[in-house]
Amino acid sequence: MNTTVQKNELIFDYSSGKLGEAKSLFVSMYLYLNSIAAKKASIFDNFLADSLMNLEDIPTKKLNFKDCIKEENVNHNISNQKLEQDDPLTKVVGNLDDLTWKPVYKGFKEFSLPVKDRDDIKLIKMDPGISVPLHSHNGKEYILVLDGSFCDEYGEYKKGDLQINDQQIRHNPTSSKNEGCICLSITENDVVFFGRLGSILNLFTFIKSFFK
């Protein structure tokens, strides 16, 4: 799996406006943390803007700004200065230190984002030295490191790094022994576990799917 191509396609789809709410938030956070990715997005934006100039003009409809913006969605109490300081994720969930994390097992916690989309987007918090059992995915998995680091069979991933996995990838992520790890994750389909406890974990995942 060529992850460079996958990353570029993800950024291009973001610039093109093709992504859903979950992946749009995910990529915006990726661009916020990773300057190289942000430069690529800028190149794609300029390319798409040039292409837009070549399109045939279409007469605009008579629209009032109130037709485009619902008054109840505008928060007049938020200052422009605060919006500029906050990253894309903080604007959605607030300070990560104030979140109510859901324990999954010892040293591993999750927080599901309030995003209505077909993709499941969540925050993952791993204490220092915690491992996830060997697993793969029925669809793609996107992992963005927000703080700390983790490593697996394919390398080490630090703040601002993005890992993309599919059903061909099996890995056993382990958080840094010194600082742990906080990640933003999207899974397009259920996780498939392997090893001694694989069948039990897969059964738990299957049952859990009914309560999404």
Side-chain angles (χ1 to χ4, degrees), residues 13-211:
D13 286 346
Y14 173 79
S15 296
S16 303
K18 295 180 179 179
L19 300 179
E21 187 176 352
K23 284 197 176 81
S24 292
L25 174 59
F26 184 93
V27 176
S28 65
M29 195 62 191
Y30 178 41
L31 303 183
Y32 179 85
L33 293 175
N34 193 303
S35 60
I36 295 177
K39 289 179 181 178
K40 290 182 179 180
S42 179
I43 293 172
F44 292 150
D45 288 345
N46 291 331
F47 170 77
L48 292 166
D50 290 339
S51 300
L52 187 62
M53 296 298 292
N54 297 325
L55 295 178
E56 181 181 353
D57 290 339
I58 300 175
T60 58
K61 297 180 180 180
K62 293 182 180 180
L63 290 175
N64 187 289
F65 78 94
K66 291 183 178 179
D67 298 326
C68 305
I69 301 176
K70 293 183 179 180
E71 183 66 22
E72 59 266 26
N73 291 337
V74 180
N75 188 343
H76 299 286
N77 296 322
I78 299 177
S79 66
N80 290 332
Q81 182 178 3
K82 175 175 172 53
L83 287 175
E84 291 175 358
Q85 291 176 348
D86 288 344
D87 60 66
L89 184 61
T90 300
K91 292 176 184 177
V92 175
V93 301
N95 194 314
L96 300 189
D97 293 333
D98 298 330
L99 297 180
T100 302
W101 295 86
K102 178 182 178 181
V104 178
Y105 56 86
K106 186 176 180 180
F108 187 101
K109 301 176 182 178
E110 292 181 348
F111 178 85
S112 294
L113 272 66
V115 174
K116 295 181 180 180
D117 199 0
R118 63 181 181 180
D119 292 322
D120 182 23
I121 181 169
K122 64 180 65 176
L123 286 160
I124 294 173
K125 186 176 184 179
M126 299 171 65
D127 290 347
I130 293 297
S131 295
V132 179
L134 183 66
H135 67 277
S136 183
H137 298 266
N138 286 325
K140 286 183 181 177
E141 174 195 42
Y142 303 82
I143 304 174
L144 174 63
V145 181
L146 304 180
D147 195 25
S149 64
F150 77 89
C151 63
D152 63 8
E153 292 82 347
Y154 301 94
E156 183 180 11
Y157 301 87
K158 301 179 180 180
K159 183 175 181 178
D161 287 341
L162 169 62
Q163 185 187 56
I164 302 177
N165 303 311
D166 61 11
Q167 62 271 18
Q168 298 178 356
I169 300 295
R170 294 186 181 186
H171 68 150
N172 176 214
T174 302
S175 62
S176 165
K177 293 182 179 179
N178 297 322
E179 53 189 351
C181 187
I182 297 178
C183 299
L184 185 62
S185 171
I186 287 181
T187 51
E188 294 181 343
N189 215 321
D190 290 335
V191 178
V192 180
F193 291 98
F194 301 94
R196 184 166 54 90
L197 299 177
S199 57
I200 297 175
L201 293 173
N202 288 330
L203 177 60
F204 173 76
T205 301
F206 175 73
I207 296 173
K208 184 181 177 182
S209 66
F210 288 98
F211 299 94

